[in-house]
């Protein structure tokens, strides 16, 4: 978050879908969760368009 490592993530790419699993090190604030979900959707959209 904001340039700091705040957890780990793993992606699973299958033929028709991309799944992202997130494991934050600490409980995230609502604002952090919102930012993370937006970034996750953008990443899935990017990888799905390839």
């Amino acid at each position: 978050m904001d340039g700091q490592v705040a957890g780990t993530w793993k992606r699973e790419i299958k033929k028709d879908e991309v799944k992202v699993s997130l494991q934050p090190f600490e409980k995230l604030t609502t604002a952090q969760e919102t930012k993370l979900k937006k970034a996750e959707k953008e990443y899935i959209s990017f990888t799905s368009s390839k």
Side-chain angles (χ1 to χ4, degrees):
M1 288 288 156
D2 299 322
Q4 300 294 315
V5 176
T8 61
W9 65 283
K10 178 181 172 182
R11 70 173 184 192
E12 232 183 297
I13 300 176
K14 296 186 177 180
K15 184 177 179 180
D16 296 330
E17 68 180 337
V18 177
K19 288 185 179 181
V20 177
S21 302
L22 307 167
Q23 296 295 318
F25 296 142
E26 298 178 353
K27 181 159 174 49
L28 301 175
T29 66
T30 302
Q32 289 172 322
E33 284 184 22
T34 300
K35 279 184 177 180
L36 194 56
K37 286 181 183 181
K38 181 178 183 245
E40 178 184 5
K41 285 180 184 178
E42 290 173 355
Y43 177 78
I44 290 171
S45 176
F46 174 75
T47 56
S48 296
S49 66
K50 297 282 177 180

